[in-house]
Amino acid sequence: MTVHPAFRCRAQHRRERARTVMNIPAPPEPTDDTGPVHLHVCVTCRRGLPASDSPPGRQLHDAMQARAADNPQVVVHEVSCLAACNDGCTAVVAMPGKWGWLLANLGPEKADDLMTYVAAYGASRSGTVMPSRRPASLSDMVRGRFPASLFSGA
């Protein structure tokens, strides 16, 4: 249903006009998709530590894989590098039809809290989990987001 411009708030009208004029994609439409959440964990992240056979990124990946083993709603992938080396262990959480997020300042010690965040992300309509709904240890983890159109699954 189209609402007459006179009945929309001025800010909403400006945003819609800017998207049209500048060809900016609209935010993703909320989805009721119950497909799995994909968590891509950088396994090469060292968090400033010397090289080792089991860097903290690998430990985080393994911890998340263990927690997701019995949960078909979470798929954990390993990634060689997410190019955010100054921000500790990093991961990307994504799902078709929802905003995707680059997360940082992670580590194996935050695996339980990250799993709580992943569950909240999966339950959200657009992929946005407000800071008040995140575990306190993950309050500073968001480094960026990307549109749902960049993620099609796996």
Side-chain angles (χ1 to χ4, degrees):
M1 178 173 110
T2 304
V3 177
H4 189 276
F7 296 107
R8 285 189 297 225
C9 76
R10 200 170 277 184
Q12 179 184 2
H13 180 68
R14 280 194 300 257
R15 282 192 302 271
E16 289 173 3
R17 185 165 180 244
R19 281 191 197 105
T20 304
V21 171
M22 297 169 37
N23 199 24
I24 298 172
E29 288 294 319
T31 179
D32 291 328
D33 186 355
T34 58
V37 175
H38 293 267
L39 182 67
H40 303 264
V41 180
C42 176
V43 296
T44 58
C45 289
R46 297 184 319 194
R47 292 188 354 185
L49 301 173
S52 73
D53 292 336
S54 183
R58 167 60 67 192
Q59 294 172 29
L60 174 62
H61 172 271
D62 294 348
M64 294 308 294
Q65 191 110 19
R67 284 164 178 76
D70 296 329
N71 186 347
Q73 293 302 311
V74 179
V75 179
V76 180
H77 306 271
E78 67 177 59
V79 179
S80 290
C81 185
L82 289 172
C85 300
N86 291 334
D87 290 327
C89 294
T90 55
V92 169
V93 63
M95 188 175 185
K98 295 185 180 191
W99 287 106
W101 298 90
L102 173 64
L103 312 174
N105 294 327
L106 303 173
E109 71 282 356
K110 295 182 181 179
D112 288 331
D113 287 346
L114 184 55
M115 200 59 152
T116 300
Y117 174 82
V118 167
Y121 172 86
S124 71
R125 294 200 51 164
S126 67
T128 300
V129 179
M130 300 307 292
S132 62
R133 301 212 32 186
R134 297 180 200 148
S137 71
L138 303 179
S139 63
D140 64 344
M141 70 173 181
V142 174
R143 287 297 173 271
R145 73 178 181 175
F146 54 91
S149 60
L150 296 179
F151 183 79
S152 60

